[in-house]
């Protein structure tokens, strides 16, 4: 399955990839050589806005476009495992399902009442649930997947 190293200018794209469960690590600060070396070591495809870097092997030059357009291109070109809500959108770590009763008072009361399923990132102590932001993303993603020929193979 393809993993990505994402340019810091593509923050929204990285976040969406992670929400889909796709491994999308932020590129480190530093020069292109360092970035290319890391991508090779960790076997990652680079997503970048940098025209020069974008010409290298295993690199996708991403034009200025809404995240859904970028995600669509990435999903049509690379084989990925889509596993929504398995990864932290902030730090890219795997999140774990946690029991609802362990959560009381850690999240807003209304959220607690409205949801049954929760996930936790132990690295940045972040809690996840299917909120309205999530609905927006899944709606967009469903449209994207419907457009892709290989939909059946990927979900
Ligand atoms: Zn995290």
């Amino acid at each position: 399955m393809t993993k990505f190293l994402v340019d810091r200018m593509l923050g929204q794209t990285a976040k969406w990839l992670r929400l889909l469960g796709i491994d999308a690590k932020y590129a480190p600060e530093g020069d292109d050589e360092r970035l290319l070396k890391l991508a090779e070591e960790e076997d990652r495809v680079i997503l970048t806005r940098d025209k020069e870097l974008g010409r290298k092997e295993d690199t996708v030059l991403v034009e200025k476009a809404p995240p859904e357009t970028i995600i669509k291109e990435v999903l049509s070109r690379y084989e990925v495992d889509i596993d929504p809500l398995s990864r932290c959108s902030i730090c890219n770590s795997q999140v774990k399902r946690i029991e609802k009763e362990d959560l009381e008072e850690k999240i807003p009361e209304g959220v607690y009442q409205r949801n049954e399923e929760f996930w936790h990132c132990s690295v940045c102590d972040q809690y996840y649930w299917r909120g309205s932001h999530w609905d927006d993303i899944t709606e967009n993603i469903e449209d994207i997947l419907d457009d892709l020929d290989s939909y059946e193979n990927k979900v």
Side-chain angles (χ1 to χ4, degrees):
M1 290 301 131
T2 314
K3 297 178 291 179
F4 298 93
L5 192 59
V6 184
D7 196 321
R8 287 185 181 266
M9 288 175 75
L10 299 167
Q12 196 70 10
T13 300
K15 193 174 165 193
W16 278 43
L17 288 170
R18 291 168 186 168
L19 283 169
L20 290 171
I22 299 166
D23 189 334
K25 190 173 177 173
Y26 271 136
E29 302 284 347
D31 57 25
D32 290 359
E33 285 311 312
R34 193 172 156 218
L35 209 149
L36 288 161
K37 190 163 169 264
L38 181 70
E40 198 189 326
E41 279 169 6
E42 298 189 2
D43 193 22
R44 291 176 183 273
V45 169
I46 297 172
L47 302 182
T48 185
R49 282 256 165 84
D50 184 316
K51 285 201 171 64
E52 200 179 319
L53 188 61
R55 282 199 292 268
K56 308 271 189 195
E57 205 183 328
D58 292 328
T59 299
V60 181
L61 176 63
V62 179
E63 304 291 345
K64 205 165 172 54
E68 54 263 46
T69 309
I70 300 169
I71 299 286
K72 190 169 172 171
E73 188 183 337
V74 168
L75 298 190
S76 65
R77 283 174 64 169
Y78 296 97
E79 204 176 326
V80 292
D81 257 341
I82 294 176
D83 184 13
L85 287 173
S86 63
R87 203 170 279 278
C88 177
S89 71
I90 298 166
C91 75
N92 197 41
S93 303
Q94 301 254 305
V95 296
K96 286 208 173 68
R97 267 294 293 278
I98 51 166
E99 295 300 323
K100 185 172 178 172
E101 47 271 33
D102 295 340
L103 256 177
E104 213 164 358
E105 291 171 11
K106 287 182 181 151
I107 54 168
E109 173 74 21
V111 171
Y112 186 84
Q113 298 297 342
R114 283 192 304 273
N115 293 277
E116 290 305 320
E117 291 183 310
F118 298 91
W119 291 262
H120 180 236
C121 172
S122 57
V123 177
C124 47
D125 198 25
Q126 181 80 18
Y127 294 96
Y128 288 91
W129 57 90
R130 292 191 181 92
S132 54
H133 184 57
W134 174 249
D135 289 340
D136 282 353
I137 288 177
T138 43
E139 213 167 276
N140 276 302
I141 293 299
E142 274 164 21
D143 289 348
I144 291 169
L145 295 176
D146 282 344
D147 286 350
L148 291 173
D149 297 340
S150 49
Y151 176 70
E152 300 294 331
N153 300 330
K154 283 177 173 145
V155 176

